[in-house]
Amino acid sequence: MKKAYFFDMDGTLYNRKNHTVSLKTCLALQKLKDQGHFVGLCTSRCFQELQHLPSYIRNFSFDTMILDGGSFILDSNQNVLYKNPIDLKLMEKVNEYCLKHHILYRYSTSDQNYWGNIPNLQLHQVWMNLYLCTPVYKRYEKEEVLNLLIMTRELEHLNYFKDLFDHKGIVQCPDCIEIRSDGLDKAKAIQRIKEKENFDSVICFGDGENDIQMLKMADTGIAMGNALDIVKEQADLVIGSIEMDSIYQYVFKED
């Protein structure tokens, strides 16, 4: 029976507190590969934000990498399988509105990561602490944008963007909103891969609110012990936290 395993990155594979991926977690991934299963990465990180991960996870031979929350899919050789950028006219409206209201936003392309306006030093440092890299400042110039993060919590601004995108492809985060094209999410991206590969079953691991849909669509949706409560409520199974090598324990227990 061919199974597909899809893993979120931050808080699931990657511990941002100490910027590591447990070697036991890597052993678990390799075991799944050795057993002939399909192993995929499914993250909201853009391609550029993968470059500062530990080498042993950066060089792991994922069968697919779903990036930008589902807008960008690469095969095992990092060839593009699918790309769906945000509509150009909508992106121009985002840029105009953010510049007018002095709202910081970040936009990612297939190979780069940018601030659309100049960040403050505090946010720049926060980003560095999370990803060990930061976007570079570059005014938007009609690039193909795959994922947006808009740094606002003000209701007026939130409502504007939700209306602009017809409430599709938007994930509410504590300090920002994440936006993708055409209501795309991780679940839809996995479904696209599933139709191509014809798996017998899909198992997904995640911890964040943007993982909920993929956990719900999976045959087995697994939430990490460090996941948000709302994520755990939607999962079929809750395992231990990332600090407990819980993915390793789950995979080796399956024997």
Side-chain angles (χ1 to χ4, degrees):
M1 177 179 288
K2 185 175 182 180
K3 298 180 181 179
Y5 291 81
F6 289 91
F7 297 88
D8 169 55
M9 179 59 77
D10 296 285
T12 301
L13 295 178
Y14 181 74
N15 188 338
R16 291 196 299 203
K17 293 179 181 179
N18 53 22
H19 297 290
T20 61
V21 177
S22 164
L23 291 178
K24 283 190 173 181
T25 297
C26 291
L27 285 174
L29 297 180
Q30 189 59 55
K31 179 180 179 180
L32 295 175
K33 289 277 291 183
D34 292 343
Q35 290 175 330
H37 299 305
F38 187 97
V39 180
L41 178 65
C42 194
T43 178
S44 282
R45 283 187 181 228
C46 66
F47 185 80
Q48 184 66 23
E49 288 168 338
L50 300 179
Q51 306 312 306
H52 294 271
L53 293 171
S55 60
Y56 45 86
I57 191 68
R58 190 174 67 246
N59 297 327
F60 181 78
S61 56
F62 286 105
D63 292 295
T64 190
M65 291 197 295
I66 296 171
L67 307 175
D68 294 288
S71 300
F72 193 39
I73 305 177
L74 303 177
D75 67 11
S76 58
N77 296 312
Q78 297 190 3
N79 297 313
V80 177
L81 291 177
Y82 175 76
K83 180 170 64 171
N84 192 341
I86 293 171
D87 180 81
L88 178 61
K89 292 181 180 179
L90 292 177
M91 191 58 220
E92 289 177 334
K93 289 181 179 179
V94 167
N95 180 61
E96 180 182 356
Y97 187 91
C98 287
L99 293 179
K100 178 180 179 181
H101 295 276
H102 306 288
I103 300 170
L104 182 62
Y105 77 96
R106 162 268 197 189
Y107 65 99
S108 62
T109 66
S110 59
D111 61 351
Q112 292 296 334
N113 194 22
Y114 299 113
W115 294 118
N117 39 21
I118 300 175
N120 59 54
L121 183 60
Q122 180 182 4
L123 187 55
H124 187 85
Q125 188 60 52
V126 166
W127 212 277
M128 179 62 75
N129 291 340
L130 290 175
Y131 298 108
L132 299 180
C133 63
T134 63
V136 296
Y137 165 61
K138 180 185 179 302
R139 282 286 183 95
Y140 174 69
E141 295 177 311
K142 298 185 178 182
E143 292 87 354
E144 284 190 338
V145 175
L146 297 168
N147 188 288
L148 272 171
L149 289 177
I150 301 177
M151 314 301 163
T152 183
R153 290 184 293 180
E154 293 188 27
L155 186 59
E156 175 187 355
H157 301 321
L158 293 175
N159 288 337
Y160 171 81
F161 292 115
K162 289 176 181 178
D163 289 342
L164 181 64
F165 286 88
D166 196 24
H167 296 254
K168 296 177 182 178
I170 294 179
V171 177
Q172 182 73 59
C173 305
D175 297 310
C176 66
I177 53 173
E178 179 184 351
I179 300 176
R180 300 175 294 268
S181 177
D182 298 332
L184 287 172
D185 58 28
K186 293 182 177 183
K188 291 184 177 66
I190 292 173
Q191 186 62 40
R192 181 178 291 272
I193 297 295
K194 182 180 179 181
E195 291 169 358
K196 180 176 181 291
E197 298 287 341
N198 195 28
F199 308 122
D200 295 301
S201 63
V202 173
I203 300 94
C204 293
F205 294 75
D207 73 299
E209 193 165 346
N210 60 359
D211 296 321
I212 288 176
Q213 294 304 315
M214 78 169 183
L215 297 186
K216 289 172 65 176
M217 67 79 65
D219 295 288
T220 305
I222 301 174
M224 303 298 292
N226 48 280
L228 300 173
D229 287 341
I230 190 173
V231 180
K232 294 177 181 178
E233 291 167 3
Q234 300 295 332
D236 299 303
L237 176 67
V238 179
I239 59 176
S241 71
I242 190 171
E243 288 86 1
M244 298 168 62
D245 287 322
S246 300
I247 291 174
Y248 173 87
Q249 293 176 31
Y250 174 86
V251 169
F252 279 82
K253 184 180 179 181
E254 290 290 280
D255 289 340

